[in-house]
Amino acid sequence: QRMRTHPVLRAAAALVAAAAVAACGDSSTAPGGESEVISRVTLTLTPATGAALTAFIDDSDGNGPTAPSAQQGSLALARGVTYTGTVKFENRLVNPVEDITAEVQKESNEHRVFYSSTNSALTITATDTDGQGRPLGLRFTLATPAAATAGSAPIRVVLCHYDSAPKTAAATSCLGETDIDVTFAASIAP
């Protein structure tokens, strides 16, 4: 004889199963977390002496199809200086503004910030790490050698979110999903 299940119990079981599946994508440690919505990226570069340089780029639809806005602020780098750098990520499309940097820090094993420049004179090195000792990149140093040629030195910032791809310490570019990818106009002063 076949056992009959009450319709209310079947519905309750289905809801519990659906909630369990949905919860998997919200974990800050399990693969499958959501990509971040970032509408502003701010770079701050602080020399050992002198004023900090700060610039930001807004992206009105996060990592959507609309191009980011023009950069606000100037990044005029001096030769022979090592800057202490920080990057800040925000979602300004919500009220109150959401500090994504804190979320990236909290979920550091799932994120990494990559920096690059078409100007080979710049050396950019992450100075912070995730919970497993791999580079994170919310804090970094940027060095310009004394012999650097004056001119353009764009700084590309890519926030990588590792869902199913493994995060490796040796990676030099994003092997996961890109949460945001912006390039700051910077220059090395004569």
Side-chain angles (χ1 to χ4, degrees), residues 22-86:
C24 291
D26 295 334
S27 170
S28 64
T29 56
E34 294 180 18
S35 293
E36 320 309 339
V37 175
I38 299 168
S39 64
R40 176 174 286 181
V41 180
T42 304
L43 270 188
T44 302
L45 303 172
T46 306
T49 59
L53 307 174
T54 301
F56 67 86
I57 297 174
D58 284 333
D59 192 346
S60 64
D61 63 349
N63 204 23
T66 303
S69 68
Q71 174 178 316
Q72 300 296 312
S74 175
L75 298 174
L77 307 172
R79 289 186 283 179
V81 174
T82 297
Y83 296 86
T84 300
T86 59

Side-chain angles (χ1 to χ4, degrees), residues 66-155:
T66 303
S69 68
Q71 174 178 316
Q72 300 296 312
S74 175
L75 298 174
L77 307 172
R79 289 186 283 179
V81 174
T82 297
Y83 296 86
T84 300
T86 59
V87 64
K88 182 176 184 176
F89 301 106
E90 298 174 287
N91 179 0
R92 299 177 77 81
L93 304 177
V94 296
N95 189 4
V97 171
E98 184 179 9
D99 180 5
I100 302 299
T101 311
E103 188 173 331
V104 169
Q105 180 69 55
K106 180 180 171 189
E107 299 176 359
S108 63
N109 288 339
E110 299 175 10
H111 291 90
R112 181 165 175 191
V113 184
F114 289 93
Y115 300 92
S116 61
S117 179
T118 55
N119 187 320
S120 61
L122 296 186
T123 302
I124 307 170
T125 307
T127 57
D128 56 348
T129 57
D130 67 15
Q132 296 181 12
R134 299 169 299 196
L136 178 57
L138 293 175
R139 294 185 306 273
F140 60 95
T141 58
L142 183 149
T144 58
T149 303
S152 178
I155 302 167

Side-chain angles (χ1 to χ4, degrees), residues 6-34:
H6 192 277
V8 173
L9 290 177
R10 279 195 306 253
L15 284 174
V16 169
V21 169
C24 291
D26 295 334
S27 170
S28 64
T29 56
E34 294 180 18

